[in-house]
Amino acid sequence: MTNETDNVKAAMLPGEKRATGIVGVVAMLRMFGLFALLPVLSLYAAELENATPLLVGLAVGAYGLTQAGLQIPLGALSDRIGRIPVIVGGLAVFAIGSIVAALGDDIWSVIIGRLLQGAGAISATLTALIADATREQFRTRSMAFMGIGIGLSFMLALIIGPLLGARFGVPALFWFAAALAVLAALLLRGLPEGIKPPKPQDWSLRPAFHADLLRLDFYVFLLHAILTASFVALPFLLANRLEMPVTSHWQMYVGALLLSLFGTIPLIMSDERQGKARTIGIAVALVLTGQLLLAFGSFGAAPVFAALVIFFAGFNFLEAGLPARLSVLAKGHARGASLGVFSSAQFLGAFVGGLIGGRFLAGGRPADVFFVCALLAAIWLASSSLFRR
């Protein structure tokens, strides 16, 4: 009898698997709509009426501003009225923003559309829904599944985005994102019944601002600032410096992502054995090394490829590991709010990264952007070492 009980505890229940799978696919579809624009949006926006380097960076990162502002209130709201209404509403707003950007013909229309895309701020609520639907011992595994799914979505988006953009134009990518949001909303009908968030004790957000949680919020802010700034500059580096056609950029990105798994997987295994503080430091060092190579070694395809492999090895681990760690540390009754603060920091980082990319790309040198990103990674590495002590 004891063995049977242990086996049940050691395996995910069918309802847990089903909920994890559906929420993971919803997150994948939504993020695909955003990721597919990353490799091509800065080049497209630069050709629009009234475009300047700073406004191009704003168009790339604008969604992060409204995401950052709304993750906390929507996460807290989902603790009160349930996750599904918040998720469906967020997907609807995301679709509207995609349509606005698709119909726009100047830089400001695209910026407004991107701001509306970001207003569909449901990342925290999706993460909280997985936490609600799974037992604590399977929380990290479920988060990792969603993280791997988003990583796969990222990889496919880097392939399909440039191809669709070159064939049908970048506005088609915005229409595609709107259609995926509708599909994601329909998939929610397949969730098992009876998933409910823990009953909130009050409307206080104080538990979401615990020191350990704020440290993770700071980490994810830096991670996405570096990522977004890099993708403001990378298309220009590949197109102008390396003279690669836009339709070939995906080969560089996807090849680097696949090879980076040989660094990410050992990090995950080490994380389980030795603890997250040490592996976070290693992952940040990889991000720093990749950015330094992009800043000082971007004279050929081979060193740029090597830099991206190193960067993605650290990035992939941090992208999955940071929210998993936070979901375990956050108190159940304030999990939505805590993940809201975390997601706000993440998307605020994307917004700031877009501004950094646009500001330092103004001189026409992508290496300037990568050097600033290396400085951010160095600050992160130093602060993580301090916290570890």
Side-chain angles (χ1 to χ4, degrees):
M1 185 71 176
T2 303
N3 289 337
E4 290 180 4
T5 303
D6 291 341
N7 288 334
V8 170
K9 289 181 179 179
M12 292 184 73
L13 300 174
E16 290 177 314
K17 293 179 181 178
R18 184 176 167 189
T20 298
I22 290 174
V23 176
V25 172
V26 169
M28 286 176 62
L29 293 175
R30 177 177 172 274
M31 295 310 294
F32 182 93
L34 291 172
F35 288 150
L37 291 158
L38 272 182
V40 294
L41 185 56
S42 60
L43 293 174
Y44 168 73
E47 301 298 322
L48 293 174
E49 185 181 350
N50 301 321
T52 66
L54 186 60
L55 291 180
V56 168
L58 182 59
V60 174
Y63 76 97
L65 181 63
T66 41
Q67 286 271 9
L70 293 174
Q71 289 290 345
I72 297 174
L74 291 182
L77 182 64
S78 76
D79 288 333
R80 273 80 188 170
I81 69 171
R83 314 295 187 201
I84 304 303
V86 172
I87 293 171
V88 171
L91 289 170
V93 174
F94 178 86
I96 292 170
S98 300
I99 293 170
V100 169
L103 295 174
D105 55 4
D106 66 354
I107 189 70
W108 288 107
S109 299
V110 173
I111 290 172
I112 291 170
R114 294 284 280 171
L115 289 169
L116 283 172
Q117 278 188 320
I122 59 170
S123 294
T125 307
L126 286 171
T127 308
L129 179 58
I130 281 191
D132 296 339
T134 56
R135 289 166 289 170
E136 185 171 326
Q137 62 265 42
F138 300 113
R139 196 79 40 75
T140 299
R141 186 185 306 180
S142 300
M143 298 294 175
F145 174 83
M146 186 166 74
I148 291 170
I150 292 174
L152 178 62
S153 175
F154 186 46
M155 185 171 64
L156 291 174
L158 294 182
I159 299 173
I160 296 172
L163 294 177
L164 285 180
R167 185 175 180 86
F168 302 107
V170 172
L173 292 176
F174 284 111
W175 285 110
F176 192 41
L180 291 179
V182 174
L183 176 60
L186 294 175
L187 286 176
L188 292 171
R189 296 174 62 87
L191 284 170
E193 296 181 1
I195 301 175
K196 295 180 179 179
K199 188 175 181 180
Q201 296 175 357
D202 53 44
W203 281 90
S204 174
L205 295 177
R206 184 177 297 177
F209 291 93
H210 188 275
D212 287 338
L213 302 182
L214 288 176
R215 182 168 69 250
L216 295 173
D217 298 337
F218 176 61
Y219 290 171
V220 82
F221 169 86
L222 291 175
L223 181 66
H224 280 263
I226 292 169
L227 177 72
T228 307
S230 297
F231 270 94
V232 172
L234 273 169
F236 290 97
L237 171 64
L238 299 182
N240 299 336
R241 183 74 179 270
L242 302 185
E243 298 182 346
M244 291 178 60
V246 175
T247 52
S248 299
H249 288 190
W250 69 268
Q251 298 172 8
M252 179 75 76
Y253 296 137
V254 173
L257 273 170
L258 290 175
L259 276 183
S260 73
L261 295 178
F262 289 99
T264 301
I265 292 172
L267 277 175
I268 293 173
M269 296 173 64
S270 174
D271 183 63
E272 292 179 350
R273 291 195 304 265
Q274 301 181 31
K276 289 181 169 57
R278 180 176 180 274
T279 44
I280 284 176
I282 294 172
V284 176
L286 290 173
V287 170
L288 171 60
T289 303
Q291 291 296 325
L292 287 173
L293 285 174
L294 286 171
F296 297 107
S298 56
F299 47 79
V304 169
F305 181 78
L308 289 176
V309 170
I310 294 169
F311 169 74
F312 283 134
F315 174 83
N316 291 338
F317 170 78
L318 293 165
E319 183 72 358
L322 292 177
R325 177 63 171 163
L326 185 128
S327 70
V328 172
L329 291 176
K331 294 183 179 180
H333 68 273
R335 187 175 293 128
S338 299
L339 288 165
V341 175
F342 179 83
S343 294
S344 292
Q346 171 183 333
F347 289 109
L348 183 61
F351 172 70
V352 171
L355 294 182
I356 289 172
R359 169 63 183 84
F360 288 95
L361 191 63
R365 296 184 301 272
D368 293 350
V369 178
F370 301 128
F371 181 70
V372 173
C373 290
L375 288 178
L376 292 177
I379 292 170
W380 184 353
L381 187 61
S383 65
S384 68
S385 300
L386 233 124
F387 285 130
R388 201 156 60 239
R389 292 195 193 100

